[in-house]
């Protein structure tokens, strides 16, 4: 086959450093657009992006040519710099070191999009840490609790 084709959806989740609730809601739309631009520049197609004050959810089509770790690094580094420039209180902003990336089947894309869109409602009853642990359990990811959070 002379052409390389793929369609791999990734649900990426990561938190602010120490899960600090510092991202103001009024910046969310611009932050999402900025993250989407980074993804497009890397050959990824953003599908849904939403943030809470302490974490981010991104659903996107994985690039055929860029490794996931490079994509995550670019999204986090680029959005960190952007956030640090927005408000004096964010000058020391950082994302956590790690992340969770989970595959999404074509048949579940709409469900995941809705889940990402409704984060604010969801987090009225579930903390980010509880949510992330549920993802790890659902995807049968082995982990050591002391290394998941920073």
């Amino acid at each position: 086959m002379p052409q390389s084709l793929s369609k791999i959806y990734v649900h990426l989740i990561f938190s602010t450093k120490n899960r600090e609730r510092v991202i103001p809601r009024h910046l969310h739309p611009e932050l999402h657009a900025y993250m989407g631009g980074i993804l497009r520049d890397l050959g990824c197609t953003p599908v849904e992006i939403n943030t809470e004050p302490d974490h981010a959810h991104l659903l996107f089509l994985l690039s055929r040519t860029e490794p996931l770790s490079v994509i995550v690094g670019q999204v986090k580094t680029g959005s960190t710099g952007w956030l640090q420039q927005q408000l004096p209180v964010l000058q020391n902003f950082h994302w956590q070191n790690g992340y969770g990336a989970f595959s999404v089947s074509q048949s579940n894309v709409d469900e995941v999009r809705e889940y990402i869109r409704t984060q604010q409602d969801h987090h009225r009853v579930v903390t980010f840490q509880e949510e992330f642990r549920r993802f790890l359990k659902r995807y049968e990811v082995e982990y050591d609790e002391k290394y998941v959070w920073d």
Side-chain angles (χ1 to χ4, degrees), residues 130-143:
E130 292 169 328
E131 173 187 52
F132 195 70
R133 285 185 193 106
R134 288 179 186 175
F135 271 95
L136 295 173
K137 184 176 180 179
R138 179 178 177 192
Y139 281 86
E140 299 179 9
V141 176
E142 292 184 27
Y143 67 98

Side-chain angles (χ1 to χ4, degrees), residues 17-74:
K17 183 80 171 171
N18 300 316
R19 292 160 317 285
E20 293 177 353
R21 299 182 58 78
V22 295
I23 305 171
R25 291 219 180 266
H26 73 276
L27 290 181
H28 289 195
E30 288 179 83
L31 174 60
H32 304 164
Y34 193 84
M35 290 174 150
I38 294 169
L39 288 171
R40 280 188 291 280
D41 287 348
L42 293 167
C44 299
T45 303
V47 177
E48 196 71 46
I49 298 173
N50 199 0
T51 51
E52 281 296 295
D54 63 347
H55 70 281
H57 286 263
L58 294 81
L59 177 65
F60 61 93
L61 282 167
L62 185 62
S63 166
R64 289 183 307 101
T65 58
E66 295 289 339
L68 179 61
S69 60
V70 169
I71 293 164
V72 174
Q74 291 294 314

Side-chain angles (χ1 to χ4, degrees), residues 78-92:
S79 60
T80 293
W82 184 86
L83 281 164
Q84 289 173 342
Q85 294 175 5
Q86 301 310 303
L87 297 169
V89 71
L90 295 175
Q91 287 179 342
N92 294 316

